[in-house]
Amino acid sequence: MLLKFYYPEIKGVEIPDKNLCGVFKPKMRENNLDVEKLVRQALEQPIGTGKLEDIVGKRDKILIVCDDNTRLTPADKILKVLLPYLHGLGVRKEDITILIALGTHRPMLRKELVAKLGGNVVDEYKIVNHLWDRVEDNIYYGKTSRGIEVWGNRLLAEADFVIGLGHIVPHRVAGFSGGGKIVQPGVSIGKTIGDIHWLSALVPGTEIMGKRDNLVREQIDESARLMGLDFIVNVVQDLKGEVVGVFAGDLIAAHRAGCDLAKEVYGVEVPKADIVIVDSYPADIELWQAAKGIYASELVVKDGGYVILVTPCPEGVSTTHPEIEKFGYLPLKEVEELVQKKELEDLTVAAHLVHVGRVIKEKGHGIMVCPNIPDKVKEKIGFIPASTVQEALSYALQEKGEDASIVAMLHAGEILPIS
């Protein structure tokens, strides 16, 4: 069969029928739902908290924390309901600030903010890009039960009420995205972010992906409480990005309800295979994000198998983390040695190297098809380069044999493979 990808610059691949075990992707709902209506209903029926009208004061300073353009959260549609809702409670425009939860990503440009939030919002409200490395912007909030020091954006402490916006999909570090993750790591400093990510690197993906309650999420929830996240509005979207559910309220209770729906939408029964073809959609800007396609394959590829990553990455490997190209993807033991020798001090990067290295260095091999990353860079970071997916598949079949089983996962940046 001919398998096509979401990227017009990357050609499809012909897969022999005798080898193909299936092409898998998240589910798609047939009925188009009214997003604004769903948001309004969620605000009227919050989970685990009182309604905003009972807990927000007219003169309260409101901070809305919103994810950036590496996420598909339809923030513009949420804000189209949330902002008038707050104004209806007596909250003034000048008392509302929107903080962009960049984690360690680069700041968003104005045109990107307009696309994410809407032109009127950018023009009429104060918008702030979180800067994780600017000392004066961040303060100490406390320590979690595992001793993680929580440092983050001072605007949360200066606000009377903090609302987090996000979406819920399977996630290698936290089990699922969304919930308290909007502030940790969303608006935390590098060390705090690193400590959380490194904790996840010590645990196999099978123990975290698609599990709402795990040791990493526990630390995220504790961090979010310390930082003062009062309320969340999270969406669940289907294969096409259409909103199929909105969950508002407490950062744990509302998030847990949303994760139940996300698991239903993104959970797909996928057989294990010798060769796994994955795209990174919708995490496509740079490899730092596109590696999410690799994370999902950890649950599918057989030992000694090949994972073929198909991704455009117009901004290359990473604009903010040059350590990836310096060290490349490595097994856990080798990364631990780099950390112990203080040759690699950014634990967020260390965890990233482990998450990918666990798949392409420990469990199997990785082949990359990416028009915007040079072959020499692909090789340096640990991938076998290929100019087309057909070339990559031919190589993998040559190595694994003509009877090798093949699985393809589209929208793999967010799929949750279930055995």
Side-chain angles (χ1 to χ4, degrees):
M1 67 161 288
L2 176 62
L3 175 66
K4 295 183 178 180
F5 300 95
Y6 295 104
Y7 320 119
E9 67 270 43
I10 299 178
K11 292 182 179 180
V13 57
E14 289 189 3
I15 304 174
D17 291 338
K18 69 172 186 175
N19 302 89
L20 183 62
C21 298
V23 177
F24 303 91
K25 60 183 76 174
K27 301 176 183 67
M28 183 172 63
R29 297 297 178 93
E30 295 182 1
N31 298 325
N32 291 327
L33 301 175
D34 186 330
V35 180
E36 293 176 26
K37 181 178 180 180
L38 289 177
V39 173
R40 198 169 293 108
Q41 289 174 343
L43 294 175
E44 289 294 335
Q45 299 175 333
I47 301 170
T49 68
K51 295 170 66 173
L52 290 178
E53 61 194 60
D54 299 321
I55 51 181
V56 171
K58 291 182 178 180
R59 290 293 179 262
D60 280 356
K61 294 189 179 300
I62 308 296
L63 181 69
I64 299 173
V65 188
C66 177
D67 54 16
D68 67 8
N69 59 329
T70 65
R71 307 297 192 264
L72 293 180
T73 307
D76 54 344
K77 294 178 181 178
I78 296 174
L79 291 171
K80 191 173 182 180
V81 176
L82 178 60
L83 291 172
Y85 195 100
L86 291 170
H87 295 321
L89 304 181
V91 179
R92 302 175 302 177
K93 280 187 179 180
E94 55 265 37
D95 289 330
I96 297 176
T97 298
I98 300 174
L99 177 63
I100 305 301
L102 296 167
T104 59
H105 305 165
R106 66 163 174 77
M108 288 179 67
L109 305 174
R110 176 182 166 80
K111 64 180 181 180
E112 294 170 333
L113 290 169
V114 169
K116 179 77 177 184
L117 308 175
N120 290 341
V121 172
V122 174
D123 289 338
E124 297 175 17
Y125 294 84
K126 182 179 181 181
I127 314 293
V128 179
N129 275 309
H130 168 67
L131 299 177
W132 61 276
D133 56 352
R134 182 179 288 178
V135 176
E136 62 268 29
D137 286 358
N138 297 280
I139 62 173
Y140 178 64
Y141 282 95
K143 189 179 292 187
T144 70
S145 60
R146 287 183 175 265
I148 294 175
E149 293 186 355
V150 181
W151 291 77
N153 200 292
R154 67 185 314 120
L155 292 179
L156 281 78
E158 295 171 359
D160 297 305
F161 198 82
V162 181
I163 302 172
L165 311 184
H167 77 157
I168 303 174
V169 295
H171 195 277
R172 172 60 180 86
V173 173
F176 285 94
S177 65
K181 202 171 173 296
I182 194 66
V183 296
Q184 163 56 314
V187 293
S188 300
I189 69 166
K191 185 182 185 306
T192 300
I193 295 170
D195 287 343
I196 283 286
H197 280 74
W198 186 242
L199 181 62
S200 74
L202 305 178
V203 183
T206 52
E207 296 182 23
I208 289 184
M209 277 198 72
K211 300 181 186 299
R212 195 278 163 194
D213 295 299
N214 58 72
L215 81 166
V216 179
R217 174 57 68 171
E218 172 191 73
Q219 297 304 291
I220 290 173
D221 290 341
E222 288 184 23
S223 300
R225 294 281 192 219
L226 289 171
M227 295 175 75
L229 180 60
D230 297 297
F231 196 91
I232 64 169
V233 181
N234 280 184
V235 302
V236 175
Q237 295 155 278
D238 69 3
L239 174 65
K240 285 191 173 182
E242 299 291 336
V243 174
V244 296
V246 180
F247 301 83
D250 177 69
L251 69 93
I252 294 177
H255 183 250
R256 185 173 284 129
C259 288
D260 289 341
L261 178 58
K263 189 168 185 177
E264 179 185 328
V265 173
Y266 289 97
V268 181
E269 290 190 10
V270 183
K272 295 188 182 301
D274 298 304
I275 301 169
V276 181
I277 302 172
V278 296
D279 65 8
S280 66
Y281 188 84
D284 302 321
I285 293 178
E286 58 182 5
L287 188 57
W288 177 257
Q289 294 294 319
K292 289 181 178 180
I294 294 287
Y295 301 161
S297 71
E298 182 183 347
L299 282 62
V300 178
V301 68
K302 293 181 179 179
D303 290 345
Y306 283 80
V307 176
I308 300 172
L309 175 64
V310 183
T311 183
C313 295
E315 296 187 9
V317 175
S318 176
T319 57
T320 56
H321 299 295
E323 301 96 329
I324 299 174
E325 291 189 42
K326 179 180 179 180
F327 297 108
Y329 295 112
L330 299 167
L332 171 61
K333 185 176 180 180
E334 292 184 35
V335 178
E336 283 182 316
E337 290 176 358
L338 290 172
V339 171
Q340 289 168 2
K341 294 177 182 177
K342 296 187 181 295
E343 293 180 33
L344 177 56
E345 297 188 275
D346 188 330
L347 293 182
T348 305
V349 175
H352 175 84
L353 300 185
V354 171
H355 290 323
V356 178
R358 194 185 294 274
V359 180
I360 70 169
K361 291 296 184 179
E362 296 184 45
K363 192 169 187 182
H365 313 274
I367 306 175
M368 186 190 296
V369 179
C370 177
N372 295 302
I373 296 178
D375 285 355
K376 63 180 180 180
V377 175
K378 294 172 187 171
E379 289 180 323
K380 186 176 181 181
I381 61 179
F383 282 91
I384 299 165
S387 57
T388 67
V389 187
Q390 199 71 56
E391 177 188 328
L393 181 59
S394 296
Y395 178 88
L397 282 170
Q398 180 181 327
E399 294 297 310
K400 296 304 296 182
E402 61 179 18
D403 294 325
S405 53
I406 300 172
V407 155
M409 293 192 295
L410 299 181
H411 211 287
E414 295 180 342
I415 198 171
L416 175 60
I418 300 173
S419 299

